[in-house]
Each structure stands twice: as C-alpha cells, then as structure tokens.
Amino acid sequence: MNFVPAHMALRRGLLMACLLAVGLLAGPGCSNSSDAGGEEKILRLAIHSEPPTLDWSLATDNVSFDVLTNIMEGLTQYNENLEPVPAIAHRWEFSDDGTTLTYHLREDVFWTDGKPVTAHDFEYAWKRLLNPATAAEYAYFLFDVKNAYAYNSGKLKDPGQVGVRALSDTVLEVKLERPVIYFPSITTFMVTFPMRQDIVERYGDHWTDPEHIVTNGPFTLHEWQHEYKLILKANDRFYEGRPAVDRVVLYVVREPTTELTLYETGELEMVELPPVAIPHYKSSPEYRNLPLLRGYYYGFNVKKAPFDDPTVRRALAHAIDRSQIPVILKGGELPTASWIPKGIFGYNPDIGPHFDPEKARRLLASAGYPGGKGFPPFAIAYNTDATNKLIAEFVQAQWRKHLSLDVLLESMEWKVFLSKLRLDAPPVYRLGWGADFPDPDNFMNLFTSTSGNNHLNWGNDEYDRLIRQGAAERDPQKRRAIYDAAQKILTETDAPLISLFGLTHNVLVKPYVKGLHLNAMELLYLKHVRLEKDAA
C-alpha cells in the first residue's frame, strides 16, 4: 500500500469517509483540525478498542491502563529513568528487617469532589482488590503483603488481619511476608491506587460512569460515549498543578490505516504505525522508535489435548524461526525464545527452545504424531489486530511447513477475546505482557499457580518456589541463577508457552506536541504534555 499523500481532492474524500467511519463527524463536541491551535488546547489520540472497564481493581488491559494512568495517581510514580519516586506519598521507609514499609502521604491531594485523599482510601482499595468477591486478576500483585494470599484464597476471613492499615489520614503501614526490594515500584501500578469506598458502595457497577466517578489525577473523566470516544478534562485540583492541555479526546479507531489517515490529515496528534507503513516513515522527523519491556508469546491451555503433553508443546516451540519476525513486522523487534525481556535484570538469550525443525519433528513423532499424522486440527486464537494477524499467519505457515499440521486462525474482538481467556482459554492463543514494574518478578510471577493472569491452566511447584525465592534474594548472582532455572522450566522443560519476540514502539508524533516522553514501559503520561503549534 502506498502511504504517500494523494491528490488533495482524493484525500478530502478519503478523510470524510474515515471520519464518518469512526464517528468523528457525529454530534456536538467533536474536534477538528483547528482545535490544537485554538484557544482551548485539545490533544487528540486514538485507542484501538473500547476500554473493558475503568474500575482499577479489575482492569487488565493496555487500553484501560492508558485512561486510568491519566485520571488517577498512586503512592509512587516513575521518573524518566523508570525509578519509583514520590507521588501521593512524599516519602517512605523500610524497617530494619525490611518487612514493614511506611508511606507518608501529602496533605494537598484531593479527590475531584474536593475531599482529601487519605491513607484510609488506600487501605480500602487494597483490601477490595484482595477480597475474593472482587475476583480481581491482579490480586496476586499484593501477595507479598502479610496474609494477603490467605485472605484472597478464602483461608482467612478477617480482612483486618491483612498487613495494610491506615495509622492516620496521612500514614499507611504495609507489613510484608518477607523483604521485597522492589515494593515501591509495585505501588506505582494502578491496582494499588486509592479508591473511595462511599462512591463504590453507593453506585455499585455504575460507580465508574462519568457522572459518578471521583478521581485524583491530572485529568478527569468528563465524557464516555461507548464505542466512540472518551473525553478527559484538565483537573484544576491536581496537586502537581493543572495540566497544560485542556482536554484529551480518545477516539476508538480500530483500523490502523484509518488511524494513519487521520494523523496525516491533522485529526490526531499521535499514531501507532502498522507494520506495512514503518519503512515509509522511518526517515520522517516525526517518527519515533524504541524497544519496549514487553514480550509477545503464544500460550497453551495445558488442560486441552493434545497440548496437555509437554513433548507436543516443545515440538511446536522448536518449529518456529523467530528470526523472520522482524522481517515481517519491520519495526526492529527482538526475536527471543526466553521470557524475561532484554532491558530487565535476568534477561538470558541463551535460554529457550531455539529454532530446530529436525528436533521438532523428532519430538512430535515421539509424542505419537510422526509427520503430523493423527494430530487434530486446531486454531490459533488472537484478538483482531494487524500485527497479531501477521504473526498468526507466520506461525501457521511454520507449523504447516515443518510439522505438517492443520492450523486454522480465529480472530476475536478484544472484549470477547479477554472473556474467552478468563472463562475457557483456547487451546492456543496469543498474548503479550508489558512491564508493570521493571523487575524480572513482574514477568515470572505472571505464570505462578496463584496468578490471576495465568491463563495457561499450568502450575509447577518448583517454579513457584523459585519465583518466591527470587523475589527476596538480594545477591545479584544468586538471583540471576534463580531466574535462569525458572525460565528453563517455563520455556524448555514444561513449555506451557512459546516466547516469540520483544516488542518495539513505532509511532509518529506531531512536532508541536512537547513534553510527551515515550518510555520502555509504554506508560502514556499526558500531564506534562504541551501543544505549541505556533512554534512548530
């Protein structure tokens, strides 16, 4: 496809079609190309699907994260070096034995209804996350807190015994099961954000509706037109000062080519490039590329035959030539058979089932399927997306070529795909994982038997033991050896997943957008963004 701008008349016709397709011309309040340069500063971005939820105890996806990151703040936040620094907590300290952490809160942080944010709001939010009735997939994030796992698993009924409590309005005490060196990074993450008990209990399932929700971040949720757009407005009460951008409009744009057209015609300030467009824009001054702390993998539901056999899983893992992935995606992706991504402590490219089609065929034969004979047809399930489709077609071709397997493709809308994973994960599916905090535990803990985000239906006691040991180990050499052993179980021995590649960010950003610092964790912080169109 040619992405060079066409004749202006043709472009206007294409733009009108794209605008109508995504609803940008429907109804009042929509932005136009003059918005960014007008009196009101409006930042216009695209999101690729409707946020499944804005309840930060329940959200698990990037779309929801991008919204919540900009309407809420937690105890800590990341600086440009991805180090945890003060946010609502202006300081914190560990006890001498490392098992008690005390956060001291600022007194000038307010909810959007004017009430102060207190330590009690954090205590309520953490215990709600851990409450079994909440059924939060991210509850395991707080399992290092004393009695958190016992409460979440139902073994302990009294939430008062969970090791988090407000000592006063401005002091939050956290007791840990063992020393956890990275815990201040955990409190940057949205599931640990404070929450108003009175609002949740008053409005029930509708407490996140724009007319009910109260937040404390740089922007407020002003409007949510489902499947069309969300509008965020600058929060005059924000403790760091009112953002320079007055409004952020997030349009739901599912088609990458439509999103790119809207960017080219001045209707969006940033666009994520589809693979086919990357070569054309690499020389543009608006192009930005950086590696992400994000891995892409294929998971197996190990309860479903024939993928309940680790020999089958290992065969499929050895049959994929990952070196072809950056050729297909064109964005500088890093092929990898190991799981901990490059850029995080514990990365080891020598671990994992590297491409070996002969070994793959021997393994499949030893599992009872010589030459692929007798292997039942199956589908690769993925959420609808251009990149996911390209990868699925590539893996499909690899398994057909090297193992003679009958492989189908099944594309699903994002919400449907997430629901399917939670209720009954497909036999083979794609997923990715991006760092919630830059430590190997964040990637390895994902697949423990107690993780709510482990959709593999897989558990291994030795793996769980190693992950617990690694979280507490302070000696770097010993810690690295622990994660090497755990990665070998995950990718080589049991192989409940196939790690494929590390992702990169390939975007275009308008030159008048200042203060937008892209980072390896793909955190979309908008509170420091300025629009200086006259200077562009």
Side-chain angles (χ1 to χ4, degrees):
M1 180 178 292
N2 183 6
F3 286 91
V4 178
H7 187 275
M8 287 304 296
L10 177 59
R11 169 179 276 186
R12 284 195 294 270
L14 178 59
L15 172 61
M16 290 293 288
C18 291
L19 293 174
L20 289 168
V22 299
L24 298 188
L25 297 182
C30 53
S31 62
N32 54 56
S33 58
S34 65
D35 281 335
E39 183 176 344
E40 189 178 32
K41 300 293 185 180
I42 301 177
L43 178 67
R44 299 154 304 166
L45 305 173
I47 53 178
H48 297 153
S49 68
E50 170 87 351
T53 180
L54 292 183
D55 180 336
W56 49 94
S57 291
L58 299 177
T60 62
D61 67 294
N62 284 349
V63 177
S64 302
F65 290 2
D66 284 345
V67 178
L68 291 168
T69 295
N70 291 290
I71 64 174
M72 282 298 300
E73 290 261 326
L75 291 166
T76 54
Q77 60 186 324
Y78 286 117
N79 62 15
E80 291 184 21
N81 297 319
L82 297 180
E83 299 164 332
V85 297
I88 294 178
H90 66 86
R91 66 182 176 91
W92 57 88
E93 67 264 352
F94 280 97
S95 61
D96 290 341
D97 65 359
T99 61
T100 300
L101 181 58
T102 305
Y103 289 96
H104 300 270
L105 278 58
R106 301 172 60 116
E107 298 183 11
D108 59 348
V109 184
F110 297 92
W111 294 102
T112 45
D113 64 357
K115 294 186 177 181
V117 176
T118 73
H120 302 281
D121 299 324
F122 284 96
E123 179 180 352
Y124 168 72
W126 290 23
K127 290 179 177 177
R128 179 178 184 261
L129 180 77
L130 292 167
N131 190 329
T134 304
E137 292 186 35
Y138 267 113
Y140 73 94
F141 248 56
L142 292 180
F143 283 177
D144 288 316
V145 175
K146 187 174 182 179
N147 289 327
Y149 174 67
Y151 176 55
N152 181 252
S153 63
K155 298 176 182 177
L156 178 67
K157 304 299 182 183
D158 179 14
Q161 295 185 48
V162 175
V164 56
R165 62 174 178 149
L167 300 183
S168 69
D169 284 350
T170 59
V171 179
L172 184 73
E173 180 187 76
V174 181
K175 290 189 176 294
L176 304 173
E177 294 281 3
R178 62 188 186 282
V180 180
I181 58 177
Y182 51 77
F183 202 85
S185 291
I186 288 180
T187 53
T188 65
F189 192 53
M190 65 177 188
V191 298
T192 70
F193 290 172
M195 191 173 285
R196 281 277 294 280
Q197 182 175 0
D198 58 326
I199 298 297
V200 175
E201 293 180 350
R202 183 183 308 165
Y203 298 111
D205 292 341
H206 293 282
W207 78 269
T208 59
D209 293 350
E211 62 269 25
H212 302 318
I213 193 171
V214 294
T215 54
N216 66 9
F219 295 92
T220 66
L221 179 61
H222 176 67
E223 185 178 331
W224 187 355
Q225 296 185 34
H226 292 279
E227 302 297 342
Y228 170 27
K229 68 179 179 182
L230 292 88
I231 297 178
L232 312 182
K233 292 193 73 172
N235 180 9
D236 293 330
R237 297 181 181 274
F238 185 52
Y239 72 96
E240 289 185 349
R242 188 184 191 278
V245 170
D246 299 305
R247 281 198 292 163
V248 178
V249 184
L250 303 170
Y251 293 106
V252 179
V253 184
R254 300 184 187 279
E255 290 296 326
T257 52
T258 301
E259 183 181 350
L260 183 54
T261 300
L262 294 172
Y263 177 87
E264 286 183 324
T265 50
E267 303 302 317
L268 296 174
E269 270 68 58
M270 184 171 74
V271 61
E272 183 177 342
L273 287 172
V276 68
I278 292 173
H280 176 75
Y281 286 99
K282 275 190 172 180
S283 61
S284 169
E286 299 175 14
Y287 173 70
R288 300 191 195 181
N289 166 273
L290 76 159
L292 298 174
L293 301 180
R294 178 176 292 277
Y296 190 110
Y297 70 93
Y298 271 25
F300 298 105
N301 183 340
V302 302
K303 298 294 185 184
K304 296 187 175 182
F307 308 105
D308 55 345
D309 184 347
T311 303
V312 167
R313 302 194 296 263
R314 289 197 296 270
L316 269 65
H318 281 291
I320 300 173
D321 183 2
R322 296 168 182 80
S323 68
Q324 296 304 305
I325 292 175
V327 178
I328 296 168
L329 298 185
K330 304 175 174 47
E333 294 76 16
L334 179 68
T336 180
S338 59
W339 176 235
I340 296 174
K342 186 175 183 179
I344 285 186
F345 176 85
Y347 168 67
N348 188 340
D350 296 328
I351 291 175
H354 298 283
F355 179 54
D356 188 341
E358 287 298 328
K359 183 175 183 179
R361 285 188 282 271
R362 290 196 303 270
L363 286 168
L364 197 64
S366 69
Y369 305 101
K373 294 178 181 178
F375 202 97
F378 66 95
I380 297 170
Y382 62 93
N383 57 295
T384 306
D385 174 86
T387 296
N388 295 338
K389 184 173 185 289
L390 286 172
I391 295 300
E393 290 171 343
F394 166 69
V395 174
Q396 176 190 49
Q398 291 281 289
W399 285 343
R400 283 178 174 172
K401 176 181 178 180
H402 301 302
L403 298 176
S404 301
L405 300 182
D406 185 5
V407 185
L408 307 174
L409 303 182
E410 185 178 10
S411 175
M412 305 179 197
E413 191 272 329
W414 181 233
K415 283 185 180 179
V416 175
F417 183 69
L418 287 179
S419 177
K420 184 73 173 175
L421 287 176
R422 294 180 185 123
L423 297 175
D424 183 27
V428 183
Y429 59 87
R430 66 74 45 187
L431 264 183
W433 186 260
D436 299 316
F437 56 96
D439 187 272
D441 182 81
N442 185 223
F443 282 82
M444 302 301 285
N445 197 10
L446 175 66
F447 299 114
T448 59
S449 56
T450 56
S451 167
N453 283 315
N454 179 356
H455 303 294
L456 305 168
N457 282 321
W458 171 79
N460 181 299
D461 291 342
E462 176 61 10
Y463 180 86
D464 290 354
R465 186 192 69 80
L466 288 168
I467 302 312
R468 288 194 299 270
Q469 184 181 355
E473 181 56 62
R474 298 191 178 192
D475 182 284
Q477 289 186 337
K478 292 180 179 178
R479 197 171 191 231
R480 185 180 298 277
I482 290 168
Y483 287 122
D484 280 353
Q487 280 202 93
K488 287 179 181 179
I489 293 173
L490 182 67
T491 64
E492 296 180 4
T493 309
D494 282 12
L497 61 78
I498 302 175
S499 179
L500 292 173
F501 63 97
L503 282 77
T504 56
H505 211 190
N506 293 275
V507 299
L508 300 177
V509 182
K510 294 294 185 185
Y512 56 82
V513 177
K514 309 296 183 182
L516 178 62
H517 301 291
L518 302 179
N519 57 75
M521 284 178 58
E522 214 172 357
L523 295 168
L524 188 66
Y525 288 133
L526 302 178
K527 60 185 177 182
H528 300 305
V529 170
R530 308 180 312 280
L531 301 180
E532 299 178 359
K533 198 165 187 178
D534 292 340

